[in-house]
């Protein structure tokens, strides 16, 4: 580069490029050599993308040793080095449909094809594991190695041989000949359930847990003692080949369908598609199925099917032009614990919660994560100020997976569970055999406010206008000391509350009066009995028919109800033996609560079945409330979620829909109106 050209590059750009290279090299070392990353994949991808963009803008800055020009990291000294005859390159990443369509356009431009030409691709789940190459000579396994830096890997032959799904000798199906030499490439992985058991075992021995199944697989495969690897539940899917002698492949699809005939496992979800649009549709399908799969995937891999085109397209420094990794939004990210607080739940459970530096995970901004209980905090050694790996899968509440102890500065503070309830000051208790601390004060403000909110929620008594602020105001003013007090309030009582004028007071009073006529199942759920959710409440109502029978039911009677386990049965039995609770029930009776007859699930269903389908509602429905619609979907075996994602099967749009409608359109989800929804559930518009 000429001296005058150097001057055209801002010094801060040069400084940033050097900084990015150092950071990426360090994280490569942590990831590839130590199998102990200190940042999430999403953060690493962001660093690499930034470096690529700067090098694209200032190509003079590209150097042969830049991380953008290499695949992984040099092999560890502890292992013998194994050269890859054909480099095991990394793949370029895409995170949006726009980038995937551009990939397709790029290929057509490179091949001088018309814009409307259709290119055939193969698509497969992108396994989140460890890339390996196994070499078979005359059908016998001779060498197994990791990808390493793409050109040279680590000899892990003895460890590879302990993986039962990798044959020591190939076999041929029918007249299919065996190649004299086959370099098969695949991904070694660990299934979710096996990963969970391994981590539980490690924790019981006082050993640090693995961050995710990928790290567990890498750590297991790179053991110096094959006996350790043999005890780890590793599996493999093969996805391609390197050098082959004695057999000629013409397409990637032929590779994927031939390898199983030689005894090499291929993911059964691989597919051949006609064009890039079908590849994108496959990505959406895999994203919906992601949580149901027994192993982790972080996207899909798209490859040009015709191998003759691979030769024409060639490769770049670290990636082929004929393949692309189309990734999903990350479910794990790193962030910092700013504080740890405790919350008092409606059952008195005192739960620690991590206040996090806000971060995007799974397409949602997360600022809190559950820490479950004191034992969990101690087991994971979570401290205020720690950098942690946070996980959110599907609609699951975010949780802290592990602490990144390498990022500790010494200023982190251990958390100590308070001895007294942070709300009412009562001494907390922890029963033998339980991990949860509880506030024993049934009149505790924290419990009462949360219980009021739960009682008034749509799935319970459905009291419109009674949200968090109103619940707090009612308790602050001393108007409500137990939930039954709601039904003895007058319009003038509500006028005492901040922000209440006559109209608002009347509306809330009338909403409370309307809720007096409900179903037994909704009322049971509203009571907030431990372990009694909507389904259990419905089972109780259908089995016992009335409240008096439930009150008199023995523990044996309750345990005999199909679907109700021993814990739930004991909690229900104890609740109806508590004198304070019985007094509250009597207050409800005197206030005039009555129960409508409710239809059974079978009566509602009338042959309809929504099992396995997920719905989102947006906008106002004319024929029913959104909560009623939710219950009908659930009664027919379906599921309702509040967030729009690719996991959703139907978005039901009412009047004046919100941003969910726009997001659903952007994701290409199936959108139906209220009339279509009613037809689905067997009701007339």
């Amino acid at each position: 580069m000429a001296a005058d050209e150097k001057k055209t590059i801002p010094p801060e750009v040069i400084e940033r490029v050097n900084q990015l290279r150092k950071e990426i090299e360090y994280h490569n070392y942590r990831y590839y050599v130590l199998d102990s990353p200190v940042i999430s994949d999403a953060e690493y991808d962001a660093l690499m993308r930034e470096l690529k963009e700067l090098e694209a803008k200032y190509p003079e800055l590209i150097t042969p040793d830049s991380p953008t020009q290499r695949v992984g990291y040099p092999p560890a000294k502890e292992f013998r080095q194994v050269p890859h005859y054909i480099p095991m390159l990394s793949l370029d990443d895409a995170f949006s449909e726009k980038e995937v369509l551009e990939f397709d356009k790029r290929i057509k431009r490179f091949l001088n094809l018309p814009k409307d030409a259709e290119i055939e691709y193969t698509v497969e789940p992108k396994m989140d594991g460890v890339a390996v190459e196994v070499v078979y000579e005359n059908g016998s396994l001779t060498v197994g190695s990791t990808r390493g830096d793409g050109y040279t890997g680590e000899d892990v032959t003895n460890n590879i041989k302990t993986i039962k799904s990798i044959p020591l000798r190939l076999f041929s199906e029918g007249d299919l000949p065996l190649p004299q030499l086959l370099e098969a490439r695949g991904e070694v992985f660990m299934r979710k359930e096996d990963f969970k058991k391994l981590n539980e075992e490690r924790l019981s021995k006082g050993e640090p847990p693995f961050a995710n199944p990928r790290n567990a697989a890498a750590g297991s495969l790179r053991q110096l003692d094959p006996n350790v690897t043999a005890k780890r539940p590793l599996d493999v899917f093969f996805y391609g080949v390197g050098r082959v002698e004695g057999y000629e492949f013409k397409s990637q699809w032929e590779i994927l369908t031939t390898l199983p005939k030689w005894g090499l496992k291929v993911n059964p979800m691989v597919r051949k598609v006609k064009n890039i649009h079908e590849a994108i549709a496959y990505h959406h399908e895999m994203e919906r199925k992601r949580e149901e799969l027994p192993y982790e995937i972080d996207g899909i891999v798209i490859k040009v099917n015709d191998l003759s085109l691979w030769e024409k397209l060639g490769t770049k420094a670290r990636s082929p032009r004929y393949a692309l990794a189309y990734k999903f939004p990350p479910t794990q990210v790193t962030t910092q614990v700013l504080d740890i607080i405790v919350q008092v739940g409606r059952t008195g459970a005192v739960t620690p919660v991590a206040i996090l530096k806000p971060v995007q995970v799974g397409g949602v901004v997360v600022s809190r994560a559950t820490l479950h209980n004191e034992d969990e905090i101690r087991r994971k050694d979570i401290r205020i100020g720690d950098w942690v790996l946070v996980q959110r899968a599907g609609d699951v509440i975010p949780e802290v997976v592990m602490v990144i102890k390498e990022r500790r500065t010494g200023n982190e503070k251990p958390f100590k569970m308070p001895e007294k309830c942070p709300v009412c000051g009562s001494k907390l208790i922890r029963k033998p055999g339980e991990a949860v601390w509880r506030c024993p004060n049934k009149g505790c403000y924290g419990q009462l406010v949360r219980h009021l909110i739960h009682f008034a929620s749509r799935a319970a008594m459905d009291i419109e206008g009674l949200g968090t602020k109103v619940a707090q105001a009612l308790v602050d003013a001393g108007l409500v000391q137990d939930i039954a007090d709601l039904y003895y309030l007058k319009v003038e009582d509500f006028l005492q509350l901040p922000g209440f004028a006559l109209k608002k007071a009347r509306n809330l009073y009338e909403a409370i009066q309307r809720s007096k006529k409900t179903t037994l199942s909704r009322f049971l759920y509203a009571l907030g009995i431990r372990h009694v959710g909507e389904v259990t409440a419905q089972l109780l109502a259908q089995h016992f028919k009335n409240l008096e029978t439930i009150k008199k039911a023995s523990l044996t009677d309750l345990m005999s109800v199909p679907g109700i386990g021993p814990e739930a049965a004991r909690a229900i039995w104890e609740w109806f033996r508590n004198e304070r609770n019985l007094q509250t029930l009597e207050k409800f009776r005197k206030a005039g609560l009555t129960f409508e007859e409710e239809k059974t699930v079978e009566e509602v269903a009338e042959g309809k079945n929504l099992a396995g389908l997920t719905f989102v509602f947006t906008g106002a429905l004319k024929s029913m409330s959104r909560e009623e619609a939710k219950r009908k979907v659930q009664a027919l075996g379906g599921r309702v979620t509040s967030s729009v994602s690719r996991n959703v099967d139907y978005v039901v749009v009412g009047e004046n829909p919100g941003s969910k409608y726009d997001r659903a359109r952007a994701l290409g989800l199936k959108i139906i109106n209220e009339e279509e929804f009613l037809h689905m559930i067997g009701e007339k518009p």
Side-chain angles (χ1 to χ4, degrees):
M1 181 168 25
D4 58 337
E5 287 179 332
K6 270 189 177 180
K7 292 176 185 175
T8 63
I9 303 175
E12 59 270 20
V13 170
I14 297 172
E15 186 181 347
R16 180 58 180 159
V17 165
N18 291 332
Q19 182 187 357
L20 284 168
R21 286 174 180 168
K22 285 180 183 176
E23 282 190 50
I24 291 169
E25 283 295 342
Y26 171 70
H27 294 307
N28 279 345
Y29 172 72
R30 302 281 325 184
Y31 187 91
Y32 291 105
V33 179
L34 300 183
D35 297 316
S36 178
V38 293
I39 61 171
S40 63
D41 290 351
E43 284 181 282
Y44 178 86
D45 289 341
L47 292 173
M48 185 63 85
R49 282 170 80 89
E50 185 183 352
L51 180 58
K52 282 182 181 178
E53 287 168 5
L54 287 173
E55 288 184 349
K57 190 172 182 180
Y58 303 101
E60 309 95 315
L61 293 177
I62 298 175
T63 59
D65 61 353
S66 171
T68 61
Q69 307 303 300
R70 65 191 303 162
V71 178
Y73 204 81
K77 294 176 183 177
E78 293 86 352
F79 296 94
R80 186 177 73 86
Q81 296 188 9
V82 177
H84 299 302
Y85 188 83
I86 298 173
M88 293 182 70
L89 298 177
S90 182
L91 297 179
D92 278 342
D93 294 330
F95 296 89
S96 67
E97 290 185 16
K98 183 180 178 183
E99 291 174 293
V100 176
L101 292 171
E102 183 51 45
F103 161 75
D104 184 63
K105 290 176 185 174
R106 240 183 354 256
I107 288 174
K108 290 172 186 174
R109 286 197 299 268
F110 204 93
L111 298 172
N112 292 317
L113 295 174
K115 290 181 181 180
D116 58 352
E118 288 195 337
I119 296 175
E120 193 173 64
Y121 294 99
T122 62
V123 287
E124 62 194 86
K126 184 179 180 298
M127 301 297 298
D128 197 9
V130 185
V132 296
E133 180 175 76
V134 290
V135 181
Y136 289 89
E137 296 181 47
N138 296 315
S140 293
L141 194 157
T142 55
V143 180
S145 62
T146 63
R147 183 171 65 178
D149 63 3
Y151 300 91
T152 306
E154 298 158 343
D155 186 344
V156 289
T157 307
N158 292 332
N159 294 353
I160 285 283
K161 287 181 177 180
T162 70
I163 302 174
K164 293 180 176 61
S165 49
I166 296 181
L168 299 179
R169 182 166 185 81
L170 299 178
F171 63 89
S172 181
E173 188 179 283
D175 299 328
L176 184 70
L178 283 178
Q180 287 89 47
L181 175 71
L182 173 68
E183 293 175 348
R185 292 171 175 183
E187 195 91 358
V188 170
F189 64 93
M190 189 176 289
R191 294 175 187 272
K192 294 174 184 176
E193 194 58 37
D194 292 329
F195 165 72
K196 184 180 176 184
K197 289 177 183 174
L198 176 62
N199 262 357
E200 287 172 355
E201 185 183 314
R202 288 176 68 83
L203 286 166
S204 69
K205 294 177 181 177
E207 298 172 347
F210 288 110
N212 48 53
R214 187 263 160 209
N215 291 119
S220 301
L221 187 64
R222 300 175 71 252
Q223 290 289 325
L224 296 176
D225 182 359
N227 291 312
V228 177
T229 306
K231 294 175 184 175
R232 302 281 174 82
L234 298 177
D235 204 342
V236 69
F237 281 135
F238 288 94
Y239 56 76
V241 297
R243 188 169 39 154
V244 182
E245 294 177 5
Y247 193 94
E248 187 176 353
F249 290 107
K250 293 184 179 179
S251 70
Q252 171 65 9
W253 186 247
E254 186 185 357
I255 292 172
L256 294 174
T257 52
T258 302
L259 290 180
K261 296 174 184 176
W262 289 333
L264 298 171
K265 278 180 71 174
V266 169
N267 194 313
M269 302 186 84
V270 298
R271 197 176 297 169
K272 181 170 64 173
V273 295
K274 296 177 185 175
N275 52 46
I276 200 65
H277 299 290
E278 287 191 6
I280 290 170
Y282 176 83
H283 176 275
H284 298 339
E285 178 188 338
M286 287 300 105
E287 191 171 9
R288 284 195 298 271
K289 293 179 177 177
R290 181 183 191 181
E291 300 302 327
E292 303 164 16
L293 296 175
Y295 43 76
E296 294 282 0
I297 64 173
D298 58 357
I300 68 164
V301 175
I302 305 170
K303 293 177 185 173
V304 172
N305 188 34
D306 188 340
L307 297 185
S308 67
L309 297 181
W310 286 25
E311 293 180 24
K312 293 178 184 177
L313 290 163
T315 62
K316 298 181 285 183
R318 67 190 297 274
S319 58
R321 291 192 180 91
Y322 50 78
L324 185 74
Y326 184 9
K327 288 197 167 183
F328 300 141
T331 57
Q332 285 190 340
V333 298
T334 48
T335 187
Q336 191 174 25
V337 177
L338 302 178
D339 197 3
I340 296 177
I341 63 169
V342 292
Q343 287 186 169
V344 184
R346 58 185 171 81
T347 62
V350 179
T351 308
V353 175
I355 304 300
L356 307 171
K357 184 179 284 187
V359 63
Q360 265 222 343
V361 50
V364 175
V365 176
V366 168
S367 59
R368 290 182 172 221
T370 179
L371 298 178
H372 299 293
N373 54 60
E374 184 184 24
D375 291 349
E376 183 83 353
I377 295 175
R378 190 180 297 117
R379 186 169 64 85
K380 293 180 178 176
D381 190 18
I382 302 167
R383 305 177 186 180
I384 298 167
D386 268 335
W387 284 87
V388 294
L389 190 68
V390 176
Q391 176 173 283
R392 180 182 180 273
D395 290 329
V396 177
I397 297 167
E399 65 172 343
V400 172
V401 177
M402 64 178 290
V403 174
I404 302 168
K405 293 182 180 177
E406 292 80 1
R407 294 182 74 166
R408 279 185 174 164
T409 63
N411 296 321
E412 294 77 16
K413 298 176 184 177
F415 169 76
K416 190 175 184 301
M417 199 73 182
E419 295 181 1
K420 294 182 178 180
C421 173
V423 177
C424 72
S426 299
K427 189 174 176 62
L428 300 180
I429 59 171
R430 180 175 173 178
K431 293 181 180 178
E434 285 195 356
V436 178
W437 286 90
R438 297 186 184 278
C439 172
N441 176 14
K442 296 297 180 184
C444 172
Y445 173 90
Q447 291 186 55
L448 185 53
V449 169
R450 288 184 176 277
H451 199 170
L452 266 178
I453 296 165
H454 170 77
F455 185 82
S457 64
R458 286 183 177 177
M461 302 301 281
D462 195 15
I463 303 174
E464 192 175 347
L466 208 169
T468 303
K469 288 183 178 178
V470 174
Q472 287 172 339
L474 286 168
V475 176
D476 285 340
L479 293 170
V480 172
Q481 294 179 7
D482 74 28
I483 49 174
D485 288 341
L486 274 177
Y487 293 97
Y488 294 87
L489 297 176
K490 308 296 183 190
V491 173
E492 51 267 31
D493 293 322
F494 297 117
L495 291 172
Q496 301 175 36
L497 305 181
F500 268 76
L502 186 58
K503 184 179 179 182
K504 187 174 180 181
R506 278 180 178 163
N507 287 344
L508 182 53
Y509 173 79
E510 288 168 4
I512 292 170
Q513 297 309 305
R514 282 195 300 272
S515 75
K516 285 183 178 180
K517 191 175 182 181
T518 186
T519 62
L520 179 57
S521 62
R522 287 168 71 92
F523 180 69
L524 290 169
Y525 173 62
L527 290 175
I529 305 169
R530 283 184 70 195
H531 305 302
V532 177
E534 291 178 66
V535 174
T536 301
Q538 191 172 30
L539 291 172
L540 284 169
Q542 290 180 10
H543 185 87
F544 293 105
K545 307 300 181 186
N546 62 69
L547 191 60
E548 283 303 311
T549 312
I550 298 173
K551 282 167 66 176
K552 295 173 184 175
S554 67
L555 190 55
T556 305
D557 293 335
L558 291 163
M559 289 179 68
S560 70
V561 180
I564 295 182
E567 277 190 67
R570 177 160 290 279
I572 297 161
W573 184 81
E574 288 179 352
W575 196 95
F576 284 101
R577 297 299 171 282
N578 181 289
E579 189 57 37
R580 185 187 178 102
N581 294 338
L582 294 177
Q583 289 172 6
T584 301
L585 289 178
E586 181 59 17
K587 286 172 71 174
F588 279 126
R589 188 190 67 78
K590 288 181 177 178
L593 261 72
T594 57
F595 303 126
E596 301 172 325
E597 187 176 345
E598 50 195 323
K599 292 182 180 179
T600 64
V601 171
E602 291 76 15
E603 287 172 331
V604 174
E606 292 181 343
K608 296 287 178 178
N609 187 7
L610 303 181
L613 298 178
T614 300
F615 290 75
V616 162
F617 290 91
T618 179
L621 300 178
K622 294 177 183 176
S623 59
M624 67 188 82
S625 70
R626 203 181 291 181
E627 192 57 39
E628 286 175 303
K630 175 183 175 181
R631 288 198 301 275
K632 291 188 179 187
V633 168
Q634 291 172 333
L636 295 170
R639 176 173 174 267
V640 177
T641 181
S642 59
S643 57
V644 176
S645 71
R646 298 194 192 281
N647 299 321
V648 171
D649 297 289
Y650 291 96
V651 177
V652 184
V653 178
E655 293 180 347
N656 302 314
S659 58
K660 291 178 186 177
Y661 174 61
D662 297 327
R663 176 157 172 73
R665 288 184 62 189
L667 291 175
L669 301 180
K670 177 72 175 175
I671 297 171
I672 60 175
N673 58 30
E674 185 174 353
E675 187 176 333
E676 291 170 309
F677 170 68
L678 291 172
H679 179 73
M680 284 185 77
I681 64 174
E683 294 190 8
K684 292 181 180 180

